[in-house]
Amino acid sequence: MNFYHYYDRRSGPFASLSDLPLEEAQGVLERIKRERPHSQCAQRHEKYVEYRRNCEAILLGEFRKKGGVIQRTPPYYMTVEHSPWLSTWFEDCGMVVIPAEAFNLHTLSFTYGDSMPAFSPKIQDGKEYRRKLYTYEEILPVIHRYGLPQNWNDDGSQGPERYIEVQIWSGETIRQYL
């Protein structure tokens, strides 16, 4: 299994608004909206940073309950396998691919779909993977049961899940790609 990370080459890989103080993060988002208006990131609403941080607090709490190894907050984000849709998000898209074996698997958590809609109270479709965080061992049977969302829902017509998100709670492996 490989993990993919997509980014704008002008910003570099693994740059995160969540690593910045709130005001600075909001300023960066506004600059992206002005300078990169055709990127998916430029379409984010004004409360995005606040919503992202709330989601990350939920992810952290859920990962702690599962006994995950947390060496970094916020986590880095990747997807399980290639997401054609995410590869269109950036005007000058770069990509990092890292095999799962390169990570301490106990520092990884997963959501079936992007974590924000996965934990959104607005989505009430009753799917078993809503509001759930998985360990590596737990996500494998979910993938076996449902497949990769990008294979059956890359266009988003079947719901918000378009890929499986990986949250990486350590910088150890990622540092090699910065």
Side-chain angles (χ1 to χ4, degrees):
M1 175 184 306
N2 289 312
F3 300 153
Y4 285 69
H5 173 73
Y6 304 93
Y7 62 95
D8 189 300
R9 291 180 202 277
R10 293 168 285 186
S11 301
F14 300 104
S16 174
L17 291 173
S18 295
D19 283 331
L20 303 172
L22 181 60
E23 269 187 39
E24 189 177 341
Q26 289 172 325
V28 169
L29 186 56
E30 289 305 313
R31 191 169 59 246
I32 289 170
K33 289 179 179 191
R34 283 191 314 274
E35 296 173 0
R36 304 171 191 179
H38 303 294
S39 70
Q40 182 71 22
C41 297
Q43 311 313 310
R44 290 182 170 145
H45 58 81
E46 65 183 43
K47 295 257 186 197
Y48 171 78
V49 176
E50 183 181 325
Y51 288 9
R52 165 56 51 203
R53 289 176 186 212
N54 285 340
C55 183
E56 287 170 343
I58 293 168
L59 296 172
L60 178 62
E62 293 299 309
F63 198 46
R64 277 196 176 121
K65 288 179 195 173
K66 292 183 175 285
V69 175
I70 301 163
Q71 299 170 341
R72 172 194 160 72
T73 60
Y76 288 113
Y77 296 94
M78 298 186 82
T79 64
V80 173
E81 301 301 344
H82 173 60
S83 169
W85 180 64
L86 272 182
S87 70
T88 68
W89 272 37
F90 303 98
E91 293 174 2
D92 185 13
C93 188
M95 177 175 56
V96 173
V97 182
I98 307 174
E101 304 81 48
F103 294 93
N104 171 348
L105 299 179
H106 300 290
T107 65
L108 306 177
S109 61
F110 300 80
T111 50
Y112 195 85
D114 185 273
S115 55
M116 287 185 65
F119 279 93
S120 173
K122 293 179 181 179
I123 300 175
Q124 298 290 331
D125 58 14
K127 292 182 178 175
E128 75 165 286
Y129 45 77
R130 295 284 180 248
R131 290 167 215 37
K132 288 192 182 167
L133 185 84
Y134 298 96
T135 64
Y136 179 79
E137 295 81 17
E138 292 170 335
I139 196 66
L140 296 176
V142 177
I143 294 170
H144 181 74
R145 190 168 27 255
Y146 297 106
L148 297 174
Q150 58 265 47
N151 292 343
W152 57 267
N153 192 39
D154 191 54
D155 66 358
S157 64
Q158 306 293 316
E161 54 280 323
R162 293 183 180 211
Y163 52 84
I164 296 170
E165 183 180 278
V166 186
Q167 300 91 32
I168 302 156
W169 300 91
S170 170
E172 187 176 334
T173 300
I174 298 299
R175 279 190 285 277
Q176 301 169 42
Y177 297 88
L178 296 176

